[in-house]
Amino acid sequence: MIPATLIAAATFLTWCLLSGRMDRWGVSAPLVMVLAGGAVGVGAHGAIAEALNTGAAQRAAEIILAVLLFVDATHVRGSLLGRHPRLVLRSLLIGLPVSLALSLVVGWLLLPHLGWAVLLLVACVITPIDFASAPSLLRDRHVPARVRDVLTVESGYTDGLVTPVFLFALYWAGPGHGDDDPAPALLAAAPQAAIALAVGATLGAAIAGGVRYTATAGLASESGRRLAIAATPLLTYAAAVGLGGNGFVAAFVCGIVYRLRRGTDTSDDVGLTDDLGFLLTAAMWFVFGSVAVVGLFDGVDWRTVAFVAAALTVIRVLPIGVAMAGSGLPRREVLQLGWLRPRGTSTIVFALIAFNTLPDGPVADLTLTLAVLVVLGSVVLHTVGVPVAIAGHDRRARNRA
């Protein structure tokens, strides 16, 4: 544990000190951390597999997810739905459910032995989008501003919206529930979700009011206010779990309500929390690099590869095409909305929680492998493939000129 911590901290520190140059080279912190984690994983395969399958590891993953969901919920600047709310709603309310359904169908065709419960769990794991590994895509001048805005807003909400379904699937696929009857899992998950909604909404409103009052009365310094917001997702998680609810659902709801009740630009309030989220994201990418060795250790079946290929292509593009039908959006922008959907931190954390919760055996291992391959494929596609394609487009444009 100490050698791994030393390598992770030294790698992250080096990237931070060279971050200006790294950004110009297109080398993101997640990419560096996953390479370092992979190097550690090669020499510590058995220890990593054992460490992942513990209650402490699951609790740590849940707390990290709570912080990241809170950050995502408060991250969208201006309107909660950005500058193109109708397109965002189409993507979230139509594209997201269609993507989950299509994942289930493709999974049933290729991996029917997993059963509906695990297939739904896998669909939730691979669906959320995250630009941590490819932040340059949201700044690229070749991507229309309208597409970037929709993707920015959607990336802040997909993991939170998928989380209740993930929680239900986790109960359905976990020990003590049958694959054929989802009712017991629904009865178990619904009260936790309800408690989470109540706790998140209450604390979000209360903390927003407290921040507004103390700022107006001059009772809190700016650093004190930032520290208070950084502690908010931890407080919300602990309160929800203590009352029998789900902590990361509560944190997401808290973030949304806080953003709504605060009513102003919250960038100053959540600046420290954003930095904390970035640090935790880097840590999870290091863990992912190590986990990739575990997930791929026993080899990969062709059906697994086929499912991953579908997850990175048709399961992304087709739902967006359905969602944007009749929107008037040009076909080129629809394709960009479908293709530019990298997977990242949320998929990693969801996969770790699923791996820890599912009974030990090939099903848990395959779930982890699928998540690993989807994220690795996304890193190759969006961190390497898209920039290369853009560079090729520029060369062709210069040659034509």
Side-chain angles (χ1 to χ4, degrees), residues 76-89:
V76 178
R77 305 294 179 242
S79 168
L80 282 176
L81 294 176
R83 292 186 292 272
H84 304 281
R86 292 184 179 180
L87 296 179
V88 171
L89 288 175

Side-chain angles (χ1 to χ4, degrees), residues 92-184:
L92 292 176
L93 301 184
I94 301 176
L96 186 59
V98 172
S99 181
L100 290 172
L102 189 57
S103 296
L104 280 173
V105 172
V106 174
W108 177 75
L109 292 173
L110 292 172
L111 305 166
H113 63 283
L114 290 181
W116 290 112
V118 176
L119 288 175
L120 180 59
L121 189 63
V122 169
C124 293
V125 168
I126 66 172
T127 294
I129 63 174
D130 176 25
F131 284 87
S133 63
S136 61
L137 292 179
L138 296 178
R139 302 189 298 267
D140 197 291
R141 61 185 175 83
H142 296 89
V143 181
R146 176 166 50 186
V147 173
R148 295 198 303 267
D149 181 71
V150 173
L151 289 173
T152 299
V153 176
E154 189 180 354
S155 67
Y157 291 140
T158 51
D159 47 5
L161 294 176
V162 165
T163 295
V165 184
F166 173 77
L167 177 63
F168 161 69
L170 204 62
Y171 274 102
W172 190 13
H177 296 95
D179 283 348
D180 295 331
D181 185 9

Side-chain angles (χ1 to χ4, degrees), residues 196-213:
L197 288 171
V199 171
T202 300
L203 287 178
I207 293 172
V211 168
R212 186 184 303 112
Y213 174 78

Side-chain angles (χ1 to χ4, degrees), residues 28-44:
S28 63
L31 181 59
V32 173
M33 297 301 288
V34 75
L35 292 175
V40 170
V42 170

Side-chain angles (χ1 to χ4, degrees), residues 200-257:
T202 300
L203 287 178
I207 293 172
V211 168
R212 186 184 303 112
Y213 174 78
T214 55
T216 302
L219 297 176
S221 64
E222 290 185 7
S223 62
R225 189 165 62 248
R226 289 193 294 269
L227 287 167
I229 301 307
T232 295
L234 302 178
L235 170 67
T236 306
Y237 174 87
V241 172
L243 293 172
N246 183 268
F248 41 88
V249 172
F252 179 70
V253 174
C254 179
I256 291 178
V257 174

